[in-house]
Amino acid sequence: MTREIMVGVFKATIGLLIDKGRDWLAEKLREGDVTDETFRDLIVREINAMNLKLDAIARKDLGASMNFLTEGLALMYKVLEKVDDSEDRIVHEASMKMLDACSLSTAACQTTVYLAEGMKNFTLTDSDESKKEALYDAKKRFKDARKKATEAFSNSALRPAERVLAMQYRIMATLLEKVDNPASALTTCKVCLEQLHTMALVQKSLKVELGKSFKYLLKRDERREIISAVCQINHVVYVITQMVGDLKIVLNWPCIILGQEQLDPLRDVRVVKMMRKLHKQQSCALWSFGQEEGHKLKGPQSIAANTRGQFVVADNINCEFKVYDSKGKCLSHCSPLSSDDKAASVVKVRSVVTDQNDRIYILVDSRPANTVYVFSDAQTNRNCFSLEQRLRGRSLTVNNNNEVLVLVKERLIKTLSACVAISTEYKVQVYRLNGRLVRSFGQGILKDTLDITTTADGSVMVLQGNSYVHVFDAEGSHVHQFKVMGNTDPETAGAVMTFHQATEHTFIATTNSDHRLQVSIYGKDGGFLRSIQLHEKGKWCITGITVTTQLNIAVSIYDKYQEESKVLVA
C-alpha cells in the first residue's frame, strides 16, 4: 500500500465536503499538510452543519452515515501523520508540483490538487501497528458510512436534494473504504453514478437549465446547486479513475439521458459554461490551450499526441509545428522547412501525426511537389520524401509497420474526340520511410475525402464529405463502410477523425444539427456509441483531432473571421 494512493484518494474525496473557504483549503494542500488541526476541524464543521439541516426522517440513515464518515476521517488523520522531516519534504514538493500542474488545467479537482506524488515506497511496516489498526478501524467506519448512505439514497421518502447528498456520501465512503486500492471501488462508483443520473430531479434540473424554458427563473439557485453537486461527484470519481488508469470506465462514462440525448456531465460545453458562471469550473473536464502569449496558435491545421501525452500541433500561418505538454504549456516550436525549402512556394501544412516511437510526420503542401517530413523524437534529425508532382496530399497517418499512408487527390485529364475531360481521383498511397511507393488503393471508391487513420490490426479508415467512413484492410481491399453522425461538409466546419489503439474506438469531430462542435465515438465495427458537445455555436473550423493514451480528446479549431485559434481538451 502506498502513501501516494492513500493521500490521493483522501484529498480527492474530501474536496466534496468543502464549499466555503476553498482558497484557504488550497493553500493548506499546497503546504502538503493534510493533518493540520484547523483543516480537520473545518471538515468536521462542514459535516455537522449539513447534519443539522436534516429533518427527522433523513437523520436516521443519512445522519448516521455522516457520523461514521467523521469517525473514519479522524482515524485516517492518524494513518496519514507525517513520519519524519524527509517524508514531509517529499510530500510538500510533490504537492507543489501537482498544484502547479493542475492550475494549468480546468480539469483540476475541487481541492485544486488531485493527489500528492512521492512516497511511492512508503508502506506500513510491522512497526506501524498503531497505524495499521487505525486504518483497519477507519475502513470499517467508511463501510458503515457507505451502507447507511445507500439506505438513505434508497429511501424514496427523502427529499430529492437529500438523496443527492446521500449519494455524495455514499461515493465518498466507497472510495475511502478502498483507500489503499481505489481501483476495486470504481465499478461500484460507476453504478452509483448511473443511479444518480437516472434521478428525475437531476434530469429535470438539467433539462430546465439547458432548455431555458419558462421555469428557468424559478428556484434557479437551488437547481444549480443540484447540478453543481452532480458535477462535483462525477469529477471526484473521474479524477481517481484517471489516477488508476481505468480507460474502460473513462471511455464509457455514465451519461445523463435527456430525451433522445446523452449528456456527459464532465465534458459537455453547456454544463461547463454553467459551472463557470458559478465559479466551479474545476468540477469539469473540458479545458483549452493555445492562447498563451508568445506561443499563440494562429492557424492550427492538424494535431497529434505522442506516447508521453504531449500534443504536437501543426500551425499553418508560420508553417511550423508546436509541441505542448499534457497541461497545454508550449515546450518548443520548429519549422519542417530547411533554408532550401523556404525558397519554394509553400502553401500550407496539411497534416501531422506521430508513431509509437514518437517520431513526428508532417505533410506540407508545397510547390512543385507535396513533401512528407519525418523528425526524430528530439527533432534534431530530419529526413523527407516528395510525392509525385501531380498529387496533392490531404492528410497522412502511420501504421504499426512504420509505413506512411497519404490521402491524395489527382487531377486526370483525358482527350476524347477533340474534347478535354477533367476529373479528380482520390486514393491512398502507402510509402516506406525512404519514400518508396509500396501500393495505392481506393481508386473509384473514395470521393471528397477529408481524413485518414489506421487501426490496431492495420486496417485503414477514410472519412468522406458525404458522412461516410470507408474501411479497407491492410492490403487495401474495401471491407465495409459506416455512417457518421453530424455534418462532414468540408465547405462548412469540416470534419476530422482518429483511432485510439488501446480501446479500439474511432473518434470523429463534426458539427451537429445546431452547428455546434461535437465528438462522436464509434465501436470497432463502426457502431455509434455517443456524442459529446465540446463547443458552442460559432464560425469555427475543425482542423484536427487526437486522443491521448489517457483518453483525453483534443480538437484543434480556428475562427478565420475572428482570427482566433485554440485546442479543446476533454
Side-chain angles (χ1 to χ4, degrees), residues 53-66 147-169 199 201:
K53 294 178 182 178
L54 298 176
D55 58 26
I57 298 177
R59 191 178 301 280
K60 180 178 180 295
D61 292 322
L62 188 51
S65 177
M66 290 179 175
K147 288 182 177 180
K148 286 299 181 181
T150 302
E151 293 173 6
F153 180 79
S154 303
N155 184 358
S156 59
L158 287 185
R159 292 193 298 269
E162 290 171 340
R163 294 186 66 208
V164 173
L165 180 63
M167 182 58 77
Q168 173 179 316
Y169 278 86
M199 286 183 63
L201 173 69

Coordinates of all heavy atoms in Angstrom, one line a residue, residues 53-66 147-169 199 201:
K53 N -29.1 20.4 9.3 CA -30.1 20.8 8.3 C -31.1 19.7 8.0 O -32.1 19.9 7.4 CB -29.5 21.3 7.0 CG -28.7 22.6 7.2 CD -28.0 23.0 5.9 CE -27.2 24.2 6.0 NZ -26.5 24.6 4.8
L54 N -30.7 18.5 8.4 CA -31.5 17.3 8.0 C -32.8 17.3 8.9 O -32.8 17.6 10.1 CB -30.8 16.0 8.2 CG -29.5 15.9 7.3 CD1 -28.8 14.6 7.7 CD2 -29.9 15.9 5.9
D55 N -33.9 16.8 8.3 CA -35.1 16.7 9.1 C -35.1 15.3 9.8 O -34.1 14.5 9.7 CB -36.4 16.8 8.3 CG -36.4 15.8 7.1 OD1 -35.8 14.8 7.2 OD2 -37.1 16.1 6.1
A56 N -36.1 15.0 10.6 CA -36.1 13.8 11.4 C -36.0 12.5 10.5 O -35.4 11.6 10.9 CB -37.3 13.8 12.3
I57 N -36.7 12.6 9.4 CA -36.7 11.4 8.5 C -35.3 11.1 8.0 O -34.8 10.0 8.0 CB -37.6 11.6 7.3 CG1 -39.1 11.8 7.8 CG2 -37.6 10.4 6.4 CD1 -40.1 12.1 6.7
A58 N -34.6 12.2 7.6 CA -33.3 12.0 7.0 C -32.2 11.6 8.0 O -31.2 11.0 7.7 CB -32.8 13.3 6.2
R59 N -32.4 12.1 9.3 CA -31.4 12.0 10.3 C -31.1 10.5 10.6 O -29.9 10.2 10.9 CB -31.8 12.7 11.6 CG -30.7 12.8 12.6 CD -31.2 13.5 13.8 NE -31.7 14.9 13.5 CZ -30.9 15.9 13.3 NH1 -29.6 15.8 13.4 NH2 -31.4 17.1 13.0
K60 N -32.0 9.6 10.4 CA -31.8 8.2 10.8 C -30.7 7.6 10.1 O -29.8 7.0 10.7 CB -33.1 7.4 10.6 CG -33.0 6.0 11.0 CD -34.3 5.3 10.8 CE -34.3 3.8 11.1 NZ -33.4 3.1 10.2
D61 N -30.7 7.6 8.7 CA -29.7 6.9 7.9 C -28.6 7.9 7.5 O -27.4 7.6 7.6 CB -30.3 6.3 6.7 CG -31.2 5.1 7.2 OD1 -30.8 4.4 8.1 OD2 -32.3 4.9 6.5
L62 N -29.0 9.0 6.9 CA -28.0 9.9 6.4 C -27.2 10.6 7.5 O -26.0 10.7 7.4 CB -28.7 11.0 5.5 CG -27.8 12.0 4.8 CD1 -26.8 11.2 3.9 CD2 -28.6 12.9 3.9
G63 N -27.8 10.9 8.6 CA -27.1 11.4 9.7 C -26.1 10.4 10.3 O -25.0 10.7 10.7
A64 N -26.5 9.1 10.3 CA -25.6 8.1 10.8 C -24.5 7.9 9.9 O -23.3 7.7 10.3 CB -26.4 6.7 10.9
S65 N -24.7 8.0 8.6 CA -23.6 8.0 7.6 C -22.6 9.1 7.8 O -21.4 8.9 7.8 CB -24.2 8.1 6.2 OG -23.2 8.1 5.2
M66 N -23.1 10.3 8.1 CA -22.2 11.4 8.3 C -21.3 11.2 9.6 O -20.1 11.4 9.6 CB -23.0 12.7 8.5 CG -23.7 13.2 7.2 SD -24.6 14.7 7.6 CE -25.1 15.1 5.9
K147 N -22.9 2.0 3.8 CA -24.2 1.2 4.0 C -25.3 2.2 4.4 O -26.4 2.1 3.8 CB -24.0 0.1 5.0 CG -23.2 -1.1 4.6 CD -23.1 -2.1 5.7 CE -22.3 -3.3 5.2 NZ -22.2 -4.4 6.2
K148 N -25.1 3.0 5.3 CA -26.1 4.0 5.8 C -26.5 5.0 4.7 O -27.6 5.3 4.5 CB -25.7 4.7 7.0 CG -25.7 3.8 8.3 CD -27.1 3.3 8.6 CE -27.2 2.5 9.8 NZ -28.5 2.0 10.1
A149 N -25.5 5.4 3.9 CA -25.7 6.3 2.8 C -26.5 5.7 1.7 O -27.4 6.3 1.1 CB -24.4 6.9 2.3
T150 N -26.3 4.4 1.5 CA -27.0 3.6 0.5 C -28.5 3.5 0.9 O -29.4 3.6 0.1 CB -26.4 2.2 0.3 OG1 -25.0 2.3 -0.1 CG2 -27.1 1.4 -0.8
E151 N -28.7 3.2 2.2 CA -30.1 3.1 2.7 C -30.8 4.4 2.6 O -32.0 4.5 2.2 CB -30.0 2.6 4.2 CG -29.6 1.2 4.3 CD -29.4 0.8 5.8 OE1 -29.7 1.6 6.7 OE2 -28.9 -0.3 6.0
A152 N -30.0 5.5 2.9 CA -30.7 6.9 2.8 C -31.0 7.2 1.3 O -32.1 7.7 1.0 CB -29.7 7.9 3.3
F153 N -30.1 6.9 0.4 CA -30.4 7.1 -1.0 C -31.6 6.3 -1.5 O -32.4 6.8 -2.4 CB -29.2 6.8 -1.9 CG -29.4 7.1 -3.4 CD1 -29.3 8.3 -3.9 CD2 -29.7 6.0 -4.2 CE1 -29.6 8.6 -5.2 CE2 -29.9 6.2 -5.6 CZ -29.8 7.5 -6.1
S154 N -31.8 5.1 -1.0 CA -32.9 4.2 -1.4 C -34.2 4.6 -0.7 O -35.2 4.0 -1.1 CB -32.5 2.8 -1.0 OG -31.3 2.4 -1.6
N155 N -34.2 5.6 0.2 CA -35.4 6.0 0.9 C -36.1 7.0 0.0 O -35.8 8.2 0.0 CB -35.0 6.6 2.2 CG -36.2 7.0 3.1 OD1 -37.4 6.8 2.6 ND2 -36.0 7.4 4.3
S156 N -37.2 6.6 -0.6 CA -38.0 7.5 -1.5 C -38.7 8.5 -0.7 O -39.2 9.5 -1.3 CB -39.0 6.6 -2.3 OG -39.8 5.9 -1.5
A157 N -38.8 8.4 0.6 CA -39.5 9.4 1.4 C -38.6 10.7 1.6 O -39.1 11.7 2.0 CB -39.8 8.9 2.8
L158 N -37.3 10.6 1.3 CA -36.4 11.7 1.5 C -36.7 12.7 0.4 O -37.1 12.4 -0.8 CB -35.0 11.3 1.4 CG -34.4 10.5 2.6 CD1 -32.9 10.3 2.4 CD2 -34.6 11.3 3.9
R159 N -36.4 13.9 0.6 CA -36.4 15.0 -0.4 C -35.4 14.6 -1.4 O -34.3 14.1 -1.1 CB -36.2 16.4 0.2 CG -37.3 16.8 1.1 CD -37.2 18.3 1.4 NE -35.9 18.6 2.1 CZ -35.8 18.6 3.4 NH1 -36.9 18.4 4.1 NH2 -34.7 18.9 4.0
P160 N -35.6 14.9 -2.7 CA -34.7 14.6 -3.8 C -33.3 15.2 -3.5 O -32.2 14.5 -3.8 CB -35.3 15.2 -5.0 CG -36.8 15.1 -4.8 CD -36.9 15.4 -3.3
A161 N -33.2 16.4 -3.0 CA -31.9 17.0 -2.8 C -31.1 16.3 -1.7 O -29.9 16.2 -1.8 CB -32.1 18.5 -2.3
E162 N -31.9 15.7 -0.7 CA -31.2 15.0 0.3 C -30.7 13.6 -0.2 O -29.7 13.1 0.3 CB -32.2 14.7 1.5 CG -32.4 16.0 2.3 CD -33.5 15.9 3.3 OE1 -34.3 14.9 3.2 OE2 -33.6 16.7 4.2
R163 N -31.4 13.1 -1.2 CA -30.9 11.8 -1.8 C -29.6 12.1 -2.6 O -28.8 11.2 -2.7 CB -32.0 11.2 -2.7 CG -33.3 10.8 -2.0 CD -34.2 10.1 -2.9 NE -33.7 8.9 -3.4 CZ -34.0 8.3 -4.6 NH1 -34.8 8.9 -5.4 NH2 -33.4 7.2 -5.0
V164 N -29.5 13.2 -3.2 CA -28.3 13.6 -3.9 C -27.2 13.7 -2.9 O -26.0 13.2 -3.1 CB -28.5 14.9 -4.7 CG1 -27.1 15.4 -5.2 CG2 -29.5 14.8 -5.8
L165 N -27.5 14.3 -1.8 CA -26.5 14.4 -0.7 C -26.1 13.0 -0.2 O -24.9 12.8 0.0 CB -27.0 15.2 0.5 CG -26.1 15.5 1.7 CD1 -24.8 16.2 1.2 CD2 -26.8 16.2 2.8
A166 N -27.0 12.1 -0.1 CA -26.7 10.8 0.3 C -25.8 10.1 -0.7 O -24.9 9.3 -0.3 CB -28.0 10.0 0.5
M167 N -26.0 10.3 -1.9 CA -25.1 9.7 -3.0 C -23.7 10.3 -2.9 O -22.7 9.6 -3.1 CB -25.7 9.9 -4.4 CG -24.9 9.3 -5.5 SD -24.7 7.5 -5.2 CE -26.3 6.9 -5.8
Q168 N -23.6 11.6 -2.5 CA -22.3 12.2 -2.3 C -21.5 11.4 -1.2 O -20.4 11.1 -1.4 CB -22.5 13.6 -2.0 CG -21.2 14.3 -1.6 CD -21.4 15.8 -1.2 OE1 -22.1 16.5 -1.9 NE2 -20.8 16.2 -0.2
Y169 N -22.2 11.2 -0.1 CA -21.6 10.5 1.0 C -21.3 9.0 0.7 O -20.4 8.4 1.1 CB -22.4 10.6 2.3 CG -22.1 12.0 2.9 CD1 -22.8 13.1 2.6 CD2 -21.1 12.1 3.9 CE1 -22.5 14.3 3.1 CE2 -20.8 13.3 4.5 CZ -21.5 14.4 4.1 OH -21.3 15.6 4.7
M199 N -32.0 9.9 -11.6 CA -33.0 10.6 -10.8 C -33.7 11.6 -11.6 O -33.1 12.4 -12.3 CB -32.2 11.2 -9.6 CG -31.7 10.3 -8.5 SD -31.0 11.2 -7.2 CE -32.4 12.2 -6.6
L201 N -35.0 14.3 -10.5 CA -34.6 15.7 -10.1 C -33.4 16.1 -11.0 O -33.3 17.2 -11.4 CB -34.2 15.7 -8.7 CG -33.6 17.0 -8.2 CD1 -34.6 18.1 -8.2 CD2 -33.0 16.8 -6.8

